[in-house]
Amino acid sequence: MTTEPLGLAESYSYALMYLADEGSADQSTAAPVSSTGDYIRDRKLLSPPELAGILTLSRCLKPIVERVLYRELEPTKASIIPCLKTIVAYPSLASITRRLTICDLSRGYDILSDYLSLLSRALHSMPALTDLTLLLAGPHTEYFLGCPFKLRSLSTTLTWDDVFIRWMEEQPELSNVMFGGAFVNSTILPPSALPKISQVSATPLILSSVVPGRPVKGVEICLLQPEYMKDDIMWIITRILSFSTVPISSIRIIARIESMAETLRALNTIPENVPKLDSFALHAGHDPFTHEFLQNLDPFMSGFEYLRSITFLSRSVEGALSDHVALGKLATEWHKSCPTLECISFPGLSLVRSLRYGWVTLEDLERMLCDRNAILLGLEK
């Protein structure tokens, strides 16, 4: 039986130090203790420093406070080390954690030091973990082999190599993944691995290893090299996606765009291989969408059997995306090419189709619902 160090057990401040900033938190300002645990469980009402302060007032609330603080962990870079040490020192706290987010410390710490060993010990202490974000770049998967948890969601920048594949074989419950690490050529994912995966975000090379032969429904394609946004490359990518064992229903593309004309040609190849999309999104980073691009999407729209939602996002909201009146008119034109379309989203503007009023904004829809409720209440009186 694992025993917790006596000194640590006597001082909860150590166990909570990564959440409660001892240099600035004033325990005298902690919220009053409620007679029920429901008040404490509501994260919106109490901050982590206030929760830590409660322990100095009533230790009988310790189990409730621990469940609130340690069920979902997202420590800052400055607090990762104390957090991991706490998890290793207290197996009872490690057993509570369901979600963990670890950012990349490789730039601030010696990655070959004890940090990876500490992280490994912490993860090996978390049997109930189901959601892991591990932003740790490089070939370090060997530290995480044999962990007791069965993940359902994983986001990681670990290198996609043979050791990483072994780790994936240990996680048969994974359904939602983001693979952002470098791909090592000749790495092969066995057909038996990741049998339940349904949502995946990755580069084309990793997608080609993951999607075929698996029940993938939603895909996020990372095309951060502008030369990838070409019609021939997009045709190959979507052809690979067509080998999912179920129809692809959602595609999101994150891309660097140099040529809107090339992008338009690339998009027109998508319906050829995945015509049953329910939703499509294109995130163009800082690249602006042009009027010409938006006005020539009819062939793309008309190629889908029942596309219902489409999104175009860019951090550059000047030009075409700034004219909401024109975008509203554009929605009407798009609907002629794609009659199943129900929702269109741009930066700062979301349009939904009403059978009675046509295309309206969410604000318009909310106002109409409020007016309708007011009329119904008046009739009841």
Side-chain angles (χ1 to χ4, degrees):
M1 180 177 178
T2 304
T3 60
E4 297 175 350
L6 180 60
L8 298 183
E10 291 298 323
S11 175
Y12 291 110
S13 62
Y14 178 89
L16 302 170
M17 64 188 294
Y18 75 99
L19 286 172
D21 185 354
E22 294 181 328
S24 60
D26 184 355
Q27 293 180 351
S28 65
T29 61
V33 179
S34 171
S35 59
T36 65
D38 294 337
Y39 182 78
I40 294 177
R41 291 189 185 97
D42 194 334
R43 282 175 170 263
K44 297 179 181 178
L45 298 178
L46 291 175
S47 66
E50 289 171 330
L51 288 169
I54 284 179
L55 293 179
T56 67
L57 302 176
S58 175
R59 289 196 175 189
C60 67
L61 295 175
K62 173 177 176 288
I64 297 175
V65 173
E66 287 179 345
R67 284 197 296 273
V68 172
L69 289 176
Y70 288 91
R71 184 177 179 86
E72 298 182 1
L73 295 177
E74 191 172 353
T76 64
K77 286 188 177 183
S79 58
I80 286 180
I81 299 300
C83 175
L84 296 179
K85 287 182 177 179
T86 299
I87 289 296
V88 171
Y90 288 88
S92 60
L93 297 180
S95 66
I96 295 172
T97 305
R98 300 293 187 273
R99 178 179 298 171
L100 176 66
T101 298
I102 297 294
C103 56
D104 189 359
L105 289 186
S106 59
R107 296 180 182 180
Y109 291 82
D110 179 4
I111 205 64
L112 300 179
S113 68
D114 292 336
Y115 169 64
L116 287 174
S117 297
L118 177 62
L119 178 58
S120 174
R121 291 169 62 195
L123 289 176
H124 279 82
S125 302
M126 296 180 173
L129 193 67
T130 59
D131 188 331
L132 175 61
T133 298
L134 189 57
L135 303 183
L136 179 66
H140 309 299
T141 311
E142 61 185 283
Y143 288 89
F144 314 121
L145 293 175
C147 288
F149 48 71
K150 296 301 179 184
L151 297 174
R152 293 187 177 90
S153 177
L154 172 67
S155 297
T156 183
T157 52
L158 289 167
T159 299
W160 183 278
D161 55 15
D162 290 337
V163 182
F164 185 84
I165 296 302
R166 288 170 53 196
W167 192 37
M168 291 300 93
E169 291 182 280
E170 296 178 357
Q171 302 298 327
E173 300 299 317
L174 270 174
S175 62
N176 191 335
V177 297
M178 187 285 287
F179 297 129
F183 180 85
V184 176
N185 292 333
S186 74
T187 302
I188 299 176
L189 185 68
S192 59
L194 303 178
K196 297 183 179 181
I197 189 169
S198 63
Q199 305 284 332
V200 57
S201 170
T203 59
L205 284 174
I206 295 178
L207 288 174
S208 68
S209 297
V210 174
V211 174
R214 294 180 176 84
V216 176
K217 296 179 180 179
V219 175
E220 183 176 82
I221 308 171
C222 299
L223 301 175
L224 299 183
Q225 293 82 10
E227 59 270 19
Y228 283 176
M229 188 56 86
K230 308 289 185 182
D231 55 352
D232 55 344
I233 295 179
M234 186 62 69
W235 191 92
I236 294 173
I237 293 173
T238 53
R239 181 60 177 167
I240 290 171
L241 299 185
S242 70
F243 287 100
S244 169
T245 58
V246 298
I248 297 290
S249 61
S250 173
I251 287 182
R252 176 183 298 173
I253 298 176
I254 301 176
R256 287 285 309 278
I257 297 176
E258 289 184 341
S259 169
M260 283 295 167
E262 287 280 4
T263 300
L264 195 61
R265 287 193 289 270
L267 294 186
N268 288 338
T269 67
I270 296 177
E272 297 178 24
N273 292 316
V274 282
K276 299 182 182 298
L277 281 190
D278 178 85
S279 65
F280 174 82
L282 176 59
H283 296 240
H286 293 278
D287 304 304
F289 292 107
T290 63
H291 286 285
E292 183 181 4
F293 173 82
L294 296 175
Q295 291 170 352
N296 285 280
L297 284 169
D298 291 347
F300 169 70
M301 301 279 193
S302 61
F304 296 106
E305 296 179 11
Y306 38 76
L307 184 69
R308 294 194 301 171
S309 172
I310 191 163
T311 300
F312 291 99
L313 294 180
S314 171
R315 293 184 181 179
S316 175
V317 294
E318 300 177 354
L321 296 183
S322 64
D323 190 345
H324 288 186
V325 175
L327 292 177
K329 295 178 180 178
L330 192 61
T332 301
E333 296 300 318
W334 284 353
H335 191 261
K336 295 177 182 178
S337 300
C338 184
T340 58
L341 203 57
E342 298 176 356
C343 180
I344 301 174
S345 297
F346 303 101
L349 178 66
S350 292
L351 299 169
V352 293
R353 180 165 174 78
S354 166
L355 292 178
R356 183 174 182 180
Y357 299 103
W359 290 98
V360 297
T361 66
L362 292 180
E363 292 78 9
D364 293 336
L365 186 61
E366 182 180 5
R367 185 173 59 254
M368 287 187 289
L369 290 175
C370 290
D371 292 343
R372 181 179 177 82
N373 288 337
I375 293 174
L376 292 176
L377 289 175
L379 294 175
E380 290 178 359
K381 294 179 179 180

